[in-house]
Amino acid sequence: MDQFMQAAIAEAQRGFEEGGIPIGSVLVHDGRVIGAGHNRRVQQGSSVLHGEMDALENAGRQAAAVYRESTIYTTLSPCAMCSGAILLYGIPRVVVGENLTFMGEESLLRSRGVDVTVLQDKECIELMKQFIADKPELWNEDIGV
């Protein structure tokens, strides 16, 4: 498996170990991680810190050209909020760990020219299936159900 998806999975594991939702993400530019994050809604009492948003926040302010040359890796299909940020910053490529437990806005991303690759990674799938089974109320809160 790709080292960057492995880094995103490590972020998801970190979130799980902190008592949060196990979704991780990394923003990669020019072959290196410039921002890594995980869903920290629970840990920070945040309404917006999904994995992708946390990775973007941790990357700090970047020039527009950096975003346009980057790839974001995420363990789970990006929701409407995270997809909006991907579109806003013009990130051209998204690598998704899995979309079986949650199908985000992949069709929107593709319709706007974003290259979306879905891996259906077993580790990502199992992590989310177990979390959803163990904490359905927390999962439903996170996705707005």
Side-chain angles (χ1 to χ4, degrees):
M1 174 186 304
D2 177 297
Q3 67 176 335
F4 300 122
M5 183 53 69
Q6 280 296 110
I9 292 170
E11 285 291 328
Q13 290 284 0
R14 188 171 297 123
F16 180 75
E17 291 163 7
E18 293 171 355
I21 299 159
I23 303 167
S25 182
V26 294
L27 183 65
V28 176
H29 178 259
D30 201 21
R32 67 181 186 88
V33 174
I34 61 170
H38 52 275
N39 187 306
R40 295 190 304 143
R41 290 186 67 248
V42 173
Q43 301 91 311
Q44 299 292 319
S46 170
S47 61
V48 297
L49 279 182
H50 281 190
E52 300 92 332
M53 302 299 281
D54 195 38
L56 288 167
E57 178 68 17
N58 289 331
R61 184 175 166 200
Q62 299 292 326
V66 170
Y67 295 116
R68 288 193 303 266
E69 298 168 350
S70 293
T71 299
I72 194 162
Y73 289 75
T74 179
T75 58
L76 187 65
S77 186
C79 73
M81 175 179 65
C82 296
S83 293
I86 290 164
L87 293 173
L88 176 67
Y89 291 108
I91 298 168
R93 185 162 186 255
V94 180
V95 179
V96 176
E98 67 103 350
N99 64 7
L100 299 178
T101 61
F102 176 78
M103 173 57 78
E105 299 297 327
E106 293 174 25
S107 60
L108 171 64
L109 291 168
R110 287 186 178 106
S111 77
R112 299 281 295 274
V114 177
D115 175 17
V116 179
T117 301
V118 182
L119 303 177
Q120 301 304 20
D121 178 79
K122 288 180 178 23
E123 191 173 358
C124 293
I125 295 166
E126 288 307 312
L127 190 59
M128 284 309 299
K129 278 186 175 178
Q130 188 62 54
F131 176 78
I132 292 167
D134 291 348
K135 298 188 177 180
E137 69 293 335
L138 190 53
W139 172 239
N140 289 339
E141 173 193 320
D142 193 65
I143 59 171
V145 174

